[in-house]
């Protein structure tokens, strides 16, 4: 139980992750691995992040690599399917294609989940996200070729599946899991206070995790 | 072995080029801006990724391959962002044909004067 609350090493250190990512890009750009490239990349990454600091992202939970690979494969497959589909819809003869703008509710209050959903939805079959509202937890997607209610329902089912897959990756789960006695520590959930999410509340969140673990005992 | 890789690489290049062509046709033929953004994201991205894979199979040197991996990755990350921003602007500035919409869940919301 407490394993769910305790966050993984990487998600607790977003800055380390950013430096590693920028270093990786640098080494890939050079194309060959050498210690000079690695150290040069590290230096560039640290300077870039010091000059252009990124806003805090509300990440939580721990990364589950297998689920991530699954999402990646699913999106890759969907991308191929939707590309062929849109390619056909582009070249087929006949009257102009009809579409729908469909509102979808996002179940979890997580900006990261929302961002990942928007990214994936633009690549998977039939949709481009037209409008997104984190406060209302809503997405509006333009679904190409959805000219009846059945197609709209199919799209909603697809979004629900994708959302479940993304949640399985674990990064978007900031929510404190119910304790072993079955109750949730209401006060320890940072999401109870939306204001808190706007700040870089790393210490608070860790504190909350620690408190919940103590309550476990 | 290298003949096989050359052949597979060529097939990937050709498929990617075909998808890119379909994307270009879609940009011209689809009825409104929002529909056109579909053509600009999906077949275009998949086409580019296929071309990148094909090129990597033909080149087979690590220096170029890593560069190609980056090209593909950044395309996958950035194309949806562009589509979202252009789509959002297009909807707000009338780049959508209402007569071609089966249903429009955004219509009620946009009349909200608070926005």
């Amino acid at each position: 139980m407490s394993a769910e609350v305790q966050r993984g090493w990487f998600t607790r250190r977003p800055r380390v992750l950013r430096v590693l990512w920028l270093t990786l890009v640098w080494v890939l750009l050079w194309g060959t691995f050498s210690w000079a490239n690695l150290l040069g990349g590290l230096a560039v990454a640290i300077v870039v992040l010091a000059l252009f600091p990124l806003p805090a992202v509300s990440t939580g939970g721990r990364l589950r690599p297998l689920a991530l690979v699954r999402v990646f494969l699913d999106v890759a497959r969907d991308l191929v399917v939707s590309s062929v589909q849109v390619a056909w819809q582009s070249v087929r003869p006949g009257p102009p294609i009809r579409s729908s703008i469909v509102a979808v509710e996002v179940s979890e209050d997580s900006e990261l989940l929302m961002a990942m959903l928007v990214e994936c939805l633009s690549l998977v079959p039939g949709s481009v996200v037209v409008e997104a509202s984190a406060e209302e937890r809503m997405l509006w997607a333009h679904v190409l070729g959805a000219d009846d209610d059945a197609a709209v329902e199919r799209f909603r089912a697809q979004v629900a599946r994708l959302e479940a897959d993304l949640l399985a990756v674990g990064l978007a789960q900031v929510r404190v899991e119910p304790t072993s006695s079955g109750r949730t520590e209401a006060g320890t959930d940072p999401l109870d206070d939306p204001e808190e999410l706007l700040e870089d509340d790393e210490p608070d969140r860790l504190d909350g995790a620690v408190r919940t673990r103590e309550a476990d005992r | 072995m290298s003949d096989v890789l050359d052949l597979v690489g060529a097939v990937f290049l050709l498929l990617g080029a075909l998808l890119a062509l379909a994307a270009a046709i879609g940009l011209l033929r689809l009825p409104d801006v929002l529909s056109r953004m579909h053509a600009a994201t999906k077949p275009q991205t998949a086409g580019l990724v296929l071309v990148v894979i094909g090129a990597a199979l033909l080149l087979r040197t690590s220096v170029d391959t890593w560069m190609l991996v980056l090209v593909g990755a950044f395309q996958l990350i950035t194309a949806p962002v562009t589509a979202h921003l252009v789509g959002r602007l297009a909807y707000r500035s009338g780049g959508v044909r209402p007569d071609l919409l089966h249903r429009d869940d955004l219509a009620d919301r946009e009349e909200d004067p608070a926005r």
Side-chain angles (χ1 to χ4, degrees):
Chain A
M1 207 51 69
S2 57
E4 287 292 318
V5 177
Q6 196 177 23
R7 299 192 300 160
W9 188 86
F10 275 126
T11 45
R12 265 184 284 126
R13 290 169 178 77
R15 282 180 207 89
V16 175
L17 199 59
R18 285 170 193 159
V19 168
L20 287 181
W21 162 245
L22 284 183
T23 310
L24 178 72
V25 171
W26 178 267
V27 174
L28 290 185
L29 277 175
W30 279 98
T32 50
F33 177 84
S34 72
W35 287 106
N37 277 346
L38 187 71
L39 293 177
L42 270 178
V44 170
I46 289 167
V47 168
V48 165
L49 286 174
L51 288 179
F52 308 99
L54 286 167
V57 183
S58 57
T59 56
R62 60 173 48 196
L63 185 68
R64 299 197 193 93
L66 272 181
L68 188 67
V69 169
R70 212 182 111 209
V71 169
F72 188 81
L73 290 180
D74 275 357
V75 170
R77 191 199 57 217
D78 286 350
L79 175 62
V80 173
V81 172
S82 64
S83 298
V84 174
Q85 203 175 312
V86 175
W88 166 243
Q89 284 165 335
S90 305
V91 297
R92 63 157 202 184
I97 190 161
R98 294 175 59 83
S99 313
S100 290
I101 291 178
V102 184
V104 194
E105 202 176 338
V106 184
S107 66
E108 203 81 4
D109 190 2
S110 158
E111 283 170 23
L112 185 68
L113 173 72
M114 203 134 185
M116 293 195 293
L117 255 185
V118 173
E119 277 271 332
C120 295
L121 278 183
S122 300
L123 292 175
V124 303
S127 56
V128 163
V129 177
V130 179
E131 185 70 69
S133 163
E135 304 95 62
E136 295 166 67
R137 290 201 215 167
M138 294 287 273
L139 294 175
W140 287 267
H142 181 260
V143 187
L144 191 66
D147 55 358
D148 53 21
D149 290 339
V152 171
E153 282 316 308
R154 269 203 305 279
F155 174 70
R156 286 182 201 262
Q158 206 165 32
V159 176
R161 202 200 65 199
L162 185 66
E163 196 187 342
D165 284 356
L166 284 175
L167 274 176
V169 174
L171 275 181
Q173 279 167 331
V174 199
R175 234 161 246 288
V176 177
E177 297 287 320
T179 52
S180 45
S181 57
R183 77 208 141 80
T184 312
E185 297 285 310
T188 56
D189 189 347
L191 285 174
D192 283 342
D193 184 7
E195 292 281 294
E196 248 181 89
L197 272 184
L198 298 175
E199 304 150 19
D200 189 0
D201 54 350
E202 292 294 312
D204 288 4
R205 185 114 21 100
L206 279 180
D207 186 30
V210 171
R211 264 184 281 150
T212 314
R213 258 178 291 148
E214 277 163 3
D216 262 345
R217 294 194 197 111
Chain B
M1 186 60 196
S2 73
D3 283 350
V4 176
L5 281 180
D6 280 349
L7 186 69
V8 175
V11 169
F12 270 100
L13 277 181
L14 198 63
L15 284 176
L18 276 177
L19 275 181
L21 176 69
I25 295 174
L27 273 180
L28 288 170
R29 279 204 68 215
L30 288 173
D32 55 18
V33 180
L34 279 181
S35 303
R36 286 171 185 182
M37 285 323 290
H38 288 273
T41 43
K42 278 152 259 168
Q44 194 272 128
T45 306
L48 187 95
V49 169
L50 286 179
V51 168
V52 161
I53 294 175
L57 288 176
L58 290 177
L59 288 169
R60 296 200 284 274
T61 55
S62 67
V63 179
D64 303 311
T65 308
W66 291 123
M67 191 78 85
L68 290 170
V69 167
L70 278 183
V71 168
F74 278 112
Q75 180 70 28
L76 283 174
I77 297 170
T78 54
V81 180
T82 323
H84 170 55
L85 285 178
V86 174
R88 191 164 184 255
L89 258 177
Y91 186 88
R92 294 181 172 205
S93 54
V96 59
R97 275 175 59 182
D99 58 310
L100 290 177
L101 283 181
H102 165 65
R103 115 191 227 138
D104 186 355
D105 289 343
L106 253 185
D108 313 328
R109 186 171 179 267
E110 290 294 306
E111 282 156 18
D112 187 352
R115 295 198 57 80

